[in-house]
């Protein structure tokens, strides 16, 4: 019964109290709608890929393409010249991707320092 006393006091009060009660009810309805009826966008749930993730995926794709190219060459689908040209292009692209991966990973790796690295002495 003690919990109902503040509510009864608001109901018996002036119109300013009714406005506060109405605002609280509107806020409660808005929160309920937001929680139960707003659906997240699919892109919000997808993991965000870093530049390194993209490069590693591209590297794997190039390696798969090289493997497929060799298989198709052995099965007689490509001539020697065509095979060499496509292989060289894929290897060049792979080298570029690997260089970018090295740049990113070198920037992320912190080299450990020895106990005497700060004072400049060599042992």
């Amino acid at each position: 019964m003690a919990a109902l006393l503040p509510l009864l006091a608001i109901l018996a009060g002036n119109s300013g109290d009714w406005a506060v009660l109405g605002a609280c009810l509107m806020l409660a309805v808005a929160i309920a709608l937001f929680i139960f009826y707003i659906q997240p966008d699919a892109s919000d749930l997808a993991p965000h890929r870093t530049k390194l993730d993209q490069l590693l995926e591209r590297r794997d794709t190039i390696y798969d393409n090289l493997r497929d190219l060799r298989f198709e060459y052995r099965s007689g689908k490509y001539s020697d010249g065509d095979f060499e040209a496509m292989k060289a292009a894929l290897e060049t692209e792979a080298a570029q991707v690997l260089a970018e991966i090295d740049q990113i990973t070198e920037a992320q790796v912190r080299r450990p320092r020895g106990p005497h690295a700060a004072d400049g002495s060599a042992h």
Side-chain angles (χ1 to χ4, degrees):
M1 185 68 179
L4 291 177
L5 290 178
L7 181 59
L8 291 175
I10 290 174
L11 293 176
N14 61 18
S15 63
D17 292 337
W18 282 102
V20 171
L21 181 61
C24 290
L25 288 175
M26 294 289 285
L27 181 62
V29 169
I31 289 172
L33 287 174
F34 180 77
I35 291 173
F36 296 111
Y37 291 106
I38 304 267
Q39 298 297 323
D41 192 40
S43 64
D44 293 339
L45 302 176
H48 298 285
R49 295 176 42 211
T50 64
K51 176 73 173 170
L52 181 60
D53 292 334
Q54 294 171 5
L55 288 171
L56 292 173
E57 184 177 327
R58 182 67 190 137
R59 178 202 62 189
D60 294 342
T61 301
I62 293 169
Y63 287 162
D64 289 342
N65 290 344
L66 276 168
R67 185 175 47 250
D68 293 343
L69 179 65
R70 286 188 187 106
F71 175 78
E72 291 173 353
Y73 170 70
R74 289 181 191 136
S75 66
K77 187 172 181 179
Y78 296 112
S79 68
D80 291 342
D82 290 342
F83 169 73
E84 291 299 327
M86 288 188 278
K87 182 178 120 182
L90 285 171
E91 288 174 344
T92 301
E93 186 177 357
Q96 292 170 346
V97 169
L98 290 174
E100 288 183 53
I101 290 172
D102 285 343
Q103 288 176 352
I104 290 174
T105 54
E106 284 178 8
Q108 293 176 350
V109 173
R110 295 179 186 220
R111 296 189 173 100
R113 301 174 85 181
H116 300 289
D119 63 16
S121 64
H123 294 294

